[in-house]
């Protein structure tokens, strides 16, 4: 197997694994697990797996000063807020629609990069932005079953915060490699939910085998594995190609929602999904 094929397969694994998060989040809610509980175990569990991987590969690096402060801000601030809004969105909409709307973040990254990093806006950007926004409009306007306006607003907020995370990360990655940064971001996000969960008395321990299984799947399958696979895949095929292949993420969420949760698959959802995914791919063509 050549390196190109390895890279493609790794990014496919990453995209499909990330795509399980929405369905697993629905299972967690059905099991009565609070959002702080789910996200505490998600990030701390993923931290253990990810740090073990880095230690095994000998790539652990200690951060200090400004780099450490930036990593903590990214985790406890941006990533924690994005995850909280994502899971809140699952309370209003189907897993498939949440996965679709959150995937508008690559478009928002381009806009924020233009505003704050002086990166140019090209014709591809304009076309891609129009397609992605049109896709969300189709889903929210034509498919009211499952597309709660409150959910749309919450998940778009999550996408905007995630975009801020990416733009800030881009600056931080000038001095720190991506794997090291992630090794600090994950536990920082987990710590923020421990503090919030204790303060609000919403943090609980899993007491059944099903709860432990769901939380382990969220930490490993939907977080640690896709992050590790993405980094490994990018090393083989580059970030641009990887970002296009990662479009499998929302498609996976939609399919799993239909198959495992009996979520409706209206024509508006299909059309909106295609518009968003094509819009993201067009932007990556510049």
């Amino acid at each position: 197997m050549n390196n190109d094929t390895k890279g493609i397969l790794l990014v496919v694994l990453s995209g499909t694994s990330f795509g399980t998060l929405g369905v697993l989040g629905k299972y967690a809610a059905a099991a009565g697990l609070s959002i702080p509980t789910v996200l505490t175990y998600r990030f701390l569990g993923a931290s253990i797996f990810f740090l073990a991987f880095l230690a095994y590969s000998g790539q652990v690096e200690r951060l200090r000063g400004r780099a450490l402060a930036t990593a903590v801000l990214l985790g406890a601030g941006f990533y924690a807020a994005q995850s909280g809004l994502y899971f809140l969105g699952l309370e209003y909409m189907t897993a498939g629609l949440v996965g679709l709307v959150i995937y508008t973040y690559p478009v928002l990254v381009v806009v924020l990069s233009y505003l704050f990093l002086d990166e140019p806006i090209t014709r591809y950007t304009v076309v891609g932005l129009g397609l992605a926004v049109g896709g969300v409009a189709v889903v929210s306007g034509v498919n009211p079953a499952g597309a709660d306006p409150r959910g749309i607003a919450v998940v778009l907020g999550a996408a905007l915060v995630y975009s801020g995370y990416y733009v800030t990360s881009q600056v931080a990655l000038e001095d720190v490699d991506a794997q090291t940064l992630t090794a600090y971001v994950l536990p920082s996000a987990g710590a923020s939910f421990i503090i919030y969960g204790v303060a609000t008395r919403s943090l609980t321990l899993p007491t059944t085998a099903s709860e432990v299984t769901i939380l382990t799947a969220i930490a490993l399958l939907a977080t640690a594995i896709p992050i590790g696979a993405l980094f490994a895949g990018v090393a083989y095929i580059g970030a641009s190609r990887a970002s296009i292949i990662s479009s499998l993420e929302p498609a996976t969420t939609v399919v799993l929602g239909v198959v495992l949760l009996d979520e409706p698959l209206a024509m508006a959802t299909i059309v909106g999904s295609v518009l968003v995914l094509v819009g993201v791919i067009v932007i990556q063509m510049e």
Side-chain angles (χ1 to χ4, degrees), residues 253-269:
T253 305
V254 170
V255 171
L256 290 179
V258 172
V259 174
L260 299 179
L261 301 176
D262 293 325
E263 293 182 349
L265 184 60
M267 181 56 67
T269 302

Side-chain angles (χ1 to χ4, degrees), residues 174-188:
E174 294 176 359
D175 303 311
V176 182
D177 69 90
Q179 294 187 358
T180 298
L181 186 65
T182 302
Y184 282 82
V185 165
L186 292 176
S188 297

Side-chain angles (χ1 to χ4, degrees), residues 105-261:
Y105 78 84
V107 178
L108 297 176
V109 167
V110 173
V111 175
L112 291 182
S113 296
Y114 168 75
L115 293 175
F116 298 104
L117 300 180
D118 294 325
E119 294 188 359
I121 291 286
T122 68
R123 63 179 183 278
Y124 291 107
T125 304
V126 175
V127 172
L129 178 61
L131 289 170
V133 171
V136 173
V138 167
V139 170
S140 59
V142 185
N143 184 24
D148 190 305
R150 293 170 298 178
I152 294 287
V154 167
V155 181
L156 281 176
L160 181 59
V161 172
Y162 203 33
S163 304
Y165 168 83
Y166 262 80
V167 172
T168 306
S169 296
Q170 184 173 335
V171 177
L173 290 173
E174 294 176 359
D175 303 311
V176 182
D177 69 90
Q179 294 187 358
T180 298
L181 186 65
T182 302
Y184 282 82
V185 165
L186 292 176
S188 297
S192 68
F193 282 107
I194 291 177
I195 295 172
Y196 178 80
V198 170
T200 58
R201 297 183 179 180
S202 57
L203 186 62
T204 60
L205 293 173
T207 57
T208 66
S210 63
E211 290 177 353
V212 172
T213 299
I214 292 169
L215 292 174
T216 301
I218 289 175
L220 181 58
L221 179 61
T223 309
I225 286 178
I227 289 175
L230 180 60
F231 286 145
V234 168
Y236 285 119
I237 64 174
S240 295
R241 292 180 66 192
S243 62
I244 294 174
I245 298 171
S246 294
S247 298
L248 285 170
E249 179 184 337
T252 299
T253 305
V254 170
V255 171
L256 290 179
V258 172
V259 174
L260 299 179
L261 301 176

Side-chain angles (χ1 to χ4, degrees), residues 18-171:
F18 269 131
T20 66
L21 181 60
V23 171
L24 291 171
K26 286 289 190 179
Y27 283 144
L33 294 167
S34 68
I35 291 178
T37 297
V38 172
L39 294 178
T40 293
Y41 283 94
R42 178 196 184 195
F43 288 120
L44 295 187
S47 297
I48 293 172
F49 290 120
F50 195 73
L51 287 171
F53 167 75
L54 292 183
Y56 176 77
S57 61
Q59 296 178 345
V60 179
E61 179 184 341
R62 186 174 181 180
L63 296 184
R64 296 179 177 86
R66 181 178 178 181
L68 176 60
T70 301
V72 171
L73 171 64
L74 286 169
F78 285 104
Y79 211 169
Q82 182 270 340
S83 297
L85 290 170
Y86 179 96
F87 275 79
L88 180 60
L90 288 171
E91 296 184 0
Y92 295 103
M93 298 196 301
T94 64
L97 290 179
V98 170
L100 168 65
V101 176
I102 194 69
Y103 204 71
T104 57
Y105 78 84
V107 178
L108 297 176
V109 167
V110 173
V111 175
L112 291 182
S113 296
Y114 168 75
L115 293 175
F116 298 104
L117 300 180
D118 294 325
E119 294 188 359
I121 291 286
T122 68
R123 63 179 183 278
Y124 291 107
T125 304
V126 175
V127 172
L129 178 61
L131 289 170
V133 171
V136 173
V138 167
V139 170
S140 59
V142 185
N143 184 24
D148 190 305
R150 293 170 298 178
I152 294 287
V154 167
V155 181
L156 281 176
L160 181 59
V161 172
Y162 203 33
S163 304
Y165 168 83
Y166 262 80
V167 172
T168 306
S169 296
Q170 184 173 335
V171 177

